[in-house]
Amino acid sequence: MSTRALRRLKGKQRGQEALDLGDLTLGDTPEEQAEAEEEQLDTANVSPSNKKSDGRKAKKSKAQKNFSNIYELIGSTDIEGEKISADEEAEKPNRNKTSDPAKNDNRDTDKLDQKHEEESAKPPGDRVKKKKKKKKTKVTSEDGQEAAADDNIDLLLENLEQSNGLSLQNDDSGVSDRRPVLHVEHRNLNSETELKRYFGARAVLGDQRPRQRNRQFHRSTWMTSPKDSWPRFSRPGISMTLLETKDGVHYFTFEHSREYQQVQFKFLDAVESMDPNNIVALLQLNPYHIDSLLQLSDVCRIQEDQEMARDLIERALYSFECAFHPLFSLTSGTSRLDYLRPENRAFYLALYKHMMFLEKRGCPRTALEYCKLILSLDPDSDPLCMLLLIDFLALRSREYQSVLQLYQDWEEHRNLSQLPNFAFSTALCHFHLSQQENMDPEESHKQRHKADQLLQIALIMFPAVLMPLLDLCTVQPDAAVTSHSFFGPNSQIRQLPALAELTGLYVGRTCTLWREAAVMLWLEETVKEVLRRVDAKDPVVEDCQNKRKQRYQSAPRNIHRHVLLSEIKEATSTLPLEVTTQPVMGFDPLPPLDSVISYTRPERPRVGASNESALSLFFRSLLPNFNIQTCSRVFFTSTQTHAHSKTGGRESN
């Protein structure tokens, strides 16, 4: 028997007698209450000691739950000088020691009894867990070694993340890398997160929760949620390989297996047949073939089946995500995919089409995350020109600071001020910030002044934006504006084709942002100030005119590709002939001229291809079953019959 138990038996405290059922009572005698109160007062003056927990005693307490706790005072009247014997210490190595000075203050006996009764009502496991937690707190507070170990762990994690190219800087600190732009949040890749914020979880989920019990197993993914209506997933033959790691940036590429290459060749044959039914037949045998899903999605979208078109794109993204490399990260901004490789382009296009569906669905914040994700895959080349779109999505999401931060970080090496969308969007951001109610009056005035200056520079640099913008906003401009040569029709005629492509793209996409009454009044005031500066021969006007003549001679291929994908008629009408005259495939629009080809399609013999003319090719594009030889024979027969009827059969005679 331990020393502690012997001392308690000598003191004849309540609950320390031999375990005899005759001695157990539901109440306490006045003598026992006095002894208990005396014991409580004695222990209150002693320094706090560690409490002991015994598993066997907890089991007895649970078995005798109908009686008062016979070990009630054992846990509350321990003395610091008491020590556990060596035999008991070996028997219970996991006994926890806690110290809580707040519990050893002078308290009433009733409060202590009530507390012990609540603890006795809880399961023994809960009390053990609580004491273990207290022990951890004590060790950390009494010994500084535990805190030092935590600091070392944090330091190791920081070094590890920095070695992977990540930055742990806050948004408020000076950022020297591209993390504010390229860093993506996982939770914002799910459109349901944004819809729940707008409408609530009950309106978004509906009756989906009970059905989740019977759903089949799917791999956990970030970009899409697998649906039970999808075909059973089997790996289509796509894999991702790590090419190299340089300066903390990982370069990956997708690869096609031999079987997937054969399916790809069949898909190209189906595209050349110009019959969507052939693509449907191919998808029935290969339900997760990427290019077939992308091409059929465009067909469904043209036929105004938006739900099916979106579902096909989500299926393609799910197939891609199941093939990710373990080191490939969607959120860090350190994973790269080369657009020059045809295997990687489908991933770009699937992300872009999914992003546009999200924007049309009313989820601009989620679409903004996907825009940053596409930009992070190749920020230097930017093959899909996400810089022409990211500001619009940020404005729709009311992420004004992110646009200004991007402009501040990238202006030096990307010249964002030379793009019409950033020239006007930065001014809009400052204006909206000045209109916020919680803004300090002095800060609001500074933001408004900055917005006025930026908008004036934007209108002076890109005067051809004003009139088409007012036209789409159904606003009749003032006669002084329409009759002025600076904003008149000459500004539209004299601008270069590349600049017309950029301005048409910006006006067609962002006209909805300028329809607000406050924004339109601000624009009207700024236009009057710009006309005043033009009439006063401000040197800035001439400088901007010289810049327009020197720049925008020709637009790069990625801008043409972005215009084709955007399908904005104000921009597509300005595309050059070398783009509009060549065939554009929905699964690979305007492929790079210096593509890196990993495998080639075998040549197929074409019957009568050498005798086909431009006219026959035109008929073939309209009629997939067009045959030049059959049509020539029919045409010749009909012509001969017509001539015979006119001559009355004299030639035959």
Side-chain angles (χ1 to χ4, degrees), residues 639-653:
T639 305
Q640 190 177 29
T641 304
H642 179 68
H644 179 72
S645 62
K646 288 184 67 175
T647 57
R650 289 193 298 271
E651 292 184 1
S652 61
N653 296 330

Side-chain angles (χ1 to χ4, degrees), residues 154-384:
D154 294 338
L155 183 61
L156 290 175
L157 290 176
E158 181 177 355
N159 294 334
L160 180 61
E161 291 186 351
Q162 288 180 353
S163 64
N164 291 333
L166 293 176
S167 175
L168 299 178
Q169 296 174 342
N170 297 327
D171 294 337
D172 297 334
S173 60
V175 181
S176 58
D177 58 355
R178 299 174 179 177
R179 166 112 185 237
V181 180
L182 305 184
H183 181 70
V184 180
E185 296 182 12
H186 271 136
R187 62 186 181 88
N188 289 331
L189 290 175
N190 189 356
S191 60
E192 289 186 356
T193 303
E194 186 173 4
L195 292 176
K196 289 176 185 177
R197 186 164 62 248
Y198 295 153
F199 307 107
R202 185 180 298 274
V204 175
L205 296 178
D207 56 348
Q208 294 181 11
R209 295 178 180 176
R211 295 181 181 179
Q212 290 180 356
R213 299 177 181 176
N214 300 326
R215 63 179 301 181
Q216 56 181 334
F217 173 76
H218 292 288
R219 176 176 175 175
S220 178
T221 53
W222 287 107
M223 295 188 294
T224 58
S225 298
K227 300 178 181 178
D228 296 335
S229 59
W230 288 359
R232 183 178 181 85
F233 179 76
S234 60
R235 295 190 177 277
I238 298 180
S239 60
M240 179 181 279
T241 304
L242 176 63
L243 297 178
E244 62 175 345
T245 301
K246 185 178 180 181
D247 298 333
V249 179
H250 306 290
Y251 295 86
F252 300 90
T253 184
F254 285 102
E255 292 183 349
H256 295 169
S257 64
R258 184 64 60 87
E259 294 77 11
Y260 192 90
Q261 293 178 15
Q262 299 300 323
V263 178
Q264 186 72 12
F265 298 152
K266 295 179 182 179
F267 165 74
L268 296 177
D269 295 339
V271 170
E272 290 183 355
S273 68
M274 299 185 184
D275 188 0
N277 295 322
N278 295 333
I279 301 179
V280 174
L282 182 63
L283 273 178
Q284 290 178 352
L285 299 176
N286 306 275
Y288 288 92
H289 181 255
I290 302 299
D291 288 344
S292 298
L293 293 170
L294 296 179
Q295 192 71 20
L296 190 60
S297 176
D298 289 341
V299 175
C300 294
R301 184 172 53 81
I302 294 174
Q303 296 178 354
E304 297 183 357
D305 190 356
Q306 302 293 332
E307 187 67 25
M308 186 62 184
R310 184 171 62 250
D311 186 79
L312 293 173
I313 295 298
E314 291 179 358
R315 197 195 303 181
L317 287 177
Y318 179 75
S319 181
F320 270 123
E321 192 165 1
C322 291
F324 281 172
H325 192 275
L327 294 179
F328 184 80
S329 175
L330 293 171
T331 59
S332 64
T334 58
S335 301
R336 301 287 185 266
L337 282 176
D338 192 0
Y339 194 81
L340 298 180
R341 298 178 180 270
E343 296 86 351
N344 298 336
R345 296 173 198 162
F347 185 57
Y348 279 88
L349 296 174
L351 289 174
Y352 183 89
K353 294 177 185 295
H354 185 60
M355 174 189 65
M356 297 310 297
F357 279 125
L358 290 171
E359 192 272 331
K360 293 178 181 178
R361 192 183 177 188
C363 301
R365 185 67 181 86
T366 310
L368 176 62
E369 293 299 312
Y370 278 95
C371 184
K372 293 191 293 184
L373 173 58
I374 299 173
L375 183 60
S376 69
L377 296 177
D378 194 353
D380 297 327
S381 301
D382 194 10
L384 298 186

Side-chain angles (χ1 to χ4, degrees), residues 29-133:
T29 62
E31 291 79 10
E32 290 176 343
Q33 293 179 359
E35 290 177 2
E37 184 176 0
E38 200 171 344
E39 183 71 14
Q40 293 288 343
L41 294 175
D42 292 338
T43 56
N45 298 325
V46 182
S47 60
S49 63
N50 298 333
K51 297 183 180 180
K52 317 298 179 181
S53 64
D54 194 340
R56 290 176 297 176
K57 295 179 180 180
K59 291 181 180 178
K60 289 183 179 180
S61 174
K62 184 177 181 180
Q64 299 174 358
K65 59 184 178 180
N66 294 330
F67 301 93
S68 61
N69 187 7
I70 59 176
Y71 302 103
E72 184 174 313
L73 297 180
I74 291 181
S76 61
T77 59
D78 294 343
I79 303 177
E80 186 177 6
E82 296 176 357
K83 296 182 179 179
I84 302 176
S85 63
D87 296 338
E88 188 176 0
E89 183 67 24
E91 182 182 358
K92 303 171 184 177
N94 295 327
R95 180 169 295 176
N96 299 319
K97 301 177 182 180
T98 58
S99 174
D100 196 349
K103 293 182 180 179
N104 296 323
D105 296 338
N106 293 328
R107 299 177 180 177
D108 296 333
T109 306
D110 296 335
K111 293 183 179 180
L112 287 173
D113 293 340
Q114 182 180 0
K115 179 179 179 180
H116 292 311
E117 288 175 3
E118 292 176 358
E119 290 183 353
S120 63
K122 295 181 180 179
D126 294 343
R127 286 179 284 175
V128 173
K129 292 180 181 178
K130 184 176 182 181
K131 292 182 179 180
K132 288 182 179 179
K133 185 176 180 181

